[in-house]
Amino acid sequence: GAVVSQHPSWVICKSGTSVKIECRSLDFQATTMFWYRQFPKQSLMLMATSNEGSKATYEQGVEKDKFLINHASLTLSTLTVTSAHPEDSSFYICSARSGTVTGELFFGEGSRLTVL
Amino acid sequence: GQQVMQIPQYQHVQEGEDFTTYCNSSTTLSNIQWYKQRPGGHPVFLIQLVKSGEVKKQKRLTFQFGEAKKNSSLHITATQTTDVGTYFCAGLNFNKFYFGSGTKLNVKP
């Protein structure tokens, strides 16, 4: 099946710094990628939809200036957590779909962010 | 906004017992997908339901989509320890998938 790679797997940073997470579709082109946030033992909360060549669309309550998303190519989307604070610590996971709008989602391995 | 609720939150069963998780949406869904997430892993696609009243089977797993396309269920017959994990439903609305709260299944051998 399709493969989505996410990097880094885990990152620890100091409060106030910015962290970039990359999501790559390795064997297919993804015009749309989705970024989710998952708190421990909770569900995946959709943060934003990343659209290749255009601005990301953010879900209600998600700060677009805080979570910068760039989808510069058909195989790469990046999420930058700017001026990170301890409350931003979480598991961030991207997904991509190939083909149709209703197609299955292929998930990256996730990135665990810890902000000290 | 879009809400997809899932019950129960946790289920502990003895190996061999059956298991069911239910998913309910506040709005009508275009389709619904089911995913399984093992501890420490990422969600993996199980199946997609599109038609009203649709029923699909995968070995011991039976998936149903409600007539009104607002609810769905996943039933596992005779659970095995390999079924351990969290099962999520994901509803498609306005080209986005919104995940249910998940049901964590623990199977005791």
Side-chain angles (χ1 to χ4, degrees), chain A residues 34 36 38 41-46 49 57-60 91 93 97 101-110, chain B residues 1 9-10 30-31 33 35 37 40-45 48 88 90 92 95-102 104:
Chain A
F34 301 94
Y36 291 87
Q38 187 174 32
K41 300 181 181 180
Q42 293 190 27
S43 186
L44 294 91
M45 183 192 78
L46 180 63
T49 303
T57 54
Y58 291 81
E59 294 300 302
Q60 190 175 7
F91 188 63
I93 191 164
R97 62 181 175 216
V101 166
T102 58
E104 68 180 271
L105 297 176
F106 298 96
F107 282 86
E109 304 93 335
Chain B
Q9 189 175 3
Y10 301 99
S30 303
N31 71 21
Q33 296 180 352
Y35 291 80
Q37 184 176 24
H42 59 275
V44 174
F45 175 82
Q48 175 173 278
F88 292 99
L92 178 65
N95 296 340
K96 301 176 188 178
F97 279 99
Y98 294 91
F99 279 74
S101 42
K104 185 175 182 179

Side-chain angles (χ1 to χ4, degrees), chain A residues 7-109:
Chain A
H7 177 81
S9 300
W10 56 272
V11 58
I12 301 173
C13 69
K14 293 182 179 180
S15 186
T17 60
S18 295
V19 175
K20 180 185 282 188
I21 301 170
E22 294 186 347
C23 180
R24 295 180 184 273
S25 57
L26 298 184
D27 52 359
F28 66 101
Q29 293 183 330
T31 55
T32 304
M33 290 185 175
F34 301 94
W35 286 94
Y36 291 87
R37 183 174 179 175
Q38 187 174 32
F39 291 100
K41 300 181 181 180
Q42 293 190 27
S43 186
L44 294 91
M45 183 192 78
L46 180 63
M47 297 174 65
T49 303
S50 174
N51 305 296
E52 187 269 334
S54 64
K55 291 183 179 180
T57 54
Y58 291 81
E59 294 300 302
Q60 190 175 7
V62 178
E63 300 175 59
K64 61 180 180 180
D65 295 329
K66 174 76 172 175
F67 300 99
L68 300 179
I69 292 173
N70 184 274
H71 197 152
S73 76
L74 287 171
T75 59
L76 174 63
S77 174
T78 61
L79 166 67
T80 302
V81 182
T82 62
S83 187
H85 288 98
E87 57 264 30
D88 298 325
S89 299
S90 189
F91 188 63
Y92 294 90
I93 191 164
C94 70
S95 69
R97 62 181 175 216
S98 63
T100 65
V101 166
T102 58
E104 68 180 271
L105 297 176
F106 298 96
F107 282 86
E109 304 93 335

Side-chain angles (χ1 to χ4, degrees), chain B:
Chain B
Q2 173 74 34
Q3 284 197 6
V4 181
M5 307 301 293
Q6 204 172 336
I7 57 170
Q9 189 175 3
Y10 301 99
Q11 186 79 57
H12 301 272
V13 300
Q14 198 72 40
E15 188 173 24
E17 293 181 338
D18 293 353
F19 159 77
T20 305
T21 173
Y22 301 89
C23 185
N24 289 284
S25 169
S26 56
T27 60
T28 301
L29 301 169
S30 303
N31 71 21
I32 196 160
Q33 296 180 352
W34 284 90
Y35 291 80
K36 178 182 179 181
Q37 184 176 24
R38 293 182 183 274
H42 59 275
V44 174
F45 175 82
L46 293 177
I47 207 160
Q48 175 173 278
L49 303 170
V50 179
K51 299 177 182 177
S52 170
E54 189 171 13
V55 178
K56 286 187 176 180
K57 291 190 176 184
Q58 284 181 353
K59 296 182 180 179
R60 295 179 293 105
L61 277 62
T62 302
F63 303 84
Q64 289 188 312
F65 200 8
E67 294 290 340
K69 301 183 76 172
K70 295 178 75 172
N71 58 73
S72 181
S73 66
L74 158 60
H75 179 82
I76 302 178
T77 304
T79 55
Q80 300 175 358
T81 54
T82 53
D83 295 326
V84 166
T86 301
Y87 293 84
F88 292 99
C89 60
L92 178 65
N93 199 16
F94 295 107
N95 296 340
K96 301 176 188 178
F97 279 99
Y98 294 91
F99 279 74
S101 42
T103 297
K104 185 175 182 179
L105 172 65
N106 186 38
V107 181
K108 291 178 286 186

